[in-house]
Amino acid sequence: MSKIGKINIALPEKTKVIMSGNSLNIEGPLGKKSLNIDTEIFDLDIKEGKEISIKPKKINDETKRLWGMNRSLVNNAILGVNTGYEKNLELSGVGYRAALKGKQLNLQLGYSHDINFDIPDNIKISVEKQTLVKISGIDKQLVGMIAAKIKSYRPPEPYKGKGIKETGQYILRKEGKKK
């Protein structure tokens, strides 16, 4: 038995879930999302629009592994269309700045050139201060991927702590050279 898979998913009031064929369409206050569920392996029960349960048709090693993952994907999609996901990034370093220019995020990260990052359609990026970037959207995987891509332009280094890090992320600091 999957510990995560057997937990039912509670549906918030403003969320509509419709199963059509192999796709599960979820509609909420922030937008729409559709997921592909393998109906040959799993049964999906929508109970009176209040709860969703996902159960495998037969239990073996492969379905045990996929059960919890599919339940988490459905739960993340439901949470995404209701509350959304967000990541906050901090730029720390002398002269490190972020600014929005139309549909691009302009980053000055100490290189000889600026980095222009194209913002995807279903992601919102806002720059609160010049050193704080807020990434939000309904897709948890896409928000995390965009945050990781931006962080990869200048990962935090261990000696001075300069770079792009998530808010609250701990950087293991090293001691410099001694005479």
Side-chain angles (χ1 to χ4, degrees):
M1 291 292 283
S2 170
K3 291 179 183 178
I4 295 171
K6 63 184 175 184
I7 301 169
N8 290 344
I9 303 165
L11 279 175
E13 290 179 22
K14 298 175 184 171
T15 308
K16 294 178 189 169
V17 177
I18 300 161
M19 186 76 180
S20 60
N22 275 1
S23 72
L24 181 71
N25 298 317
I26 304 163
E27 196 173 321
L30 295 180
K32 298 177 185 174
K33 179 121 172 85
S34 73
L35 292 171
N36 287 328
I37 304 284
D38 194 355
T39 53
E40 294 174 12
I41 301 174
F42 296 106
D43 278 330
L44 207 75
D45 295 328
I46 303 168
K47 297 173 186 158
E48 301 168 16
K50 304 229 187 244
E51 231 178 24
I52 295 178
S53 65
I54 185 168
K55 301 249 186 299
K57 290 185 176 175
K58 62 178 183 185
I59 296 178
N60 57 27
D61 287 342
E62 188 177 338
T63 56
K64 281 183 195 175
R65 277 185 251 136
L66 294 173
W67 188 8
M69 182 195 68
N70 279 300
R71 189 254 179 214
S72 292
L73 290 174
V74 171
N75 189 42
N76 288 344
I78 290 170
L79 290 176
V81 296
N82 280 300
T83 56
Y85 292 101
E86 71 176 39
K87 294 231 181 209
N88 295 316
L89 301 180
E90 290 178 16
L91 282 72
S92 56
V94 178
Y96 286 18
R97 290 188 186 89
L100 282 174
K101 290 185 178 175
K103 293 286 287 173
Q104 288 188 329
L105 177 68
N106 180 271
L107 298 167
Q108 296 175 353
L109 300 173
Y111 295 119
S112 62
H113 59 283
D114 291 358
I115 296 170
N116 291 318
F117 180 76
D118 293 324
I119 302 170
D121 292 334
N122 43 6
I123 293 289
K124 292 182 192 111
I125 294 182
S126 62
V127 178
E128 292 165 6
K129 294 182 194 171
Q130 288 184 333
T131 57
L132 289 175
V133 178
K134 186 177 182 182
I135 304 164
S136 58
I138 63 170
D139 190 353
K140 185 176 187 177
Q141 189 254 339
L142 190 60
V143 169
M145 194 174 72
I146 298 296
K149 179 79 173 156
I150 292 172
K151 281 170 37 176
S152 73
Y153 290 131
R154 186 64 98 165
E157 52 98 16
Y159 295 102
K160 291 184 180 177
K162 291 167 41 170
I164 304 173
K165 65 175 184 148
E166 286 187 36
T167 304
Q169 178 183 349
Y170 179 73
I171 306 297
L172 185 66
R173 300 295 293 270
K174 291 182 179 178
E175 193 174 344
K177 279 202 258 183
K178 291 183 182 176
K179 278 190 169 180

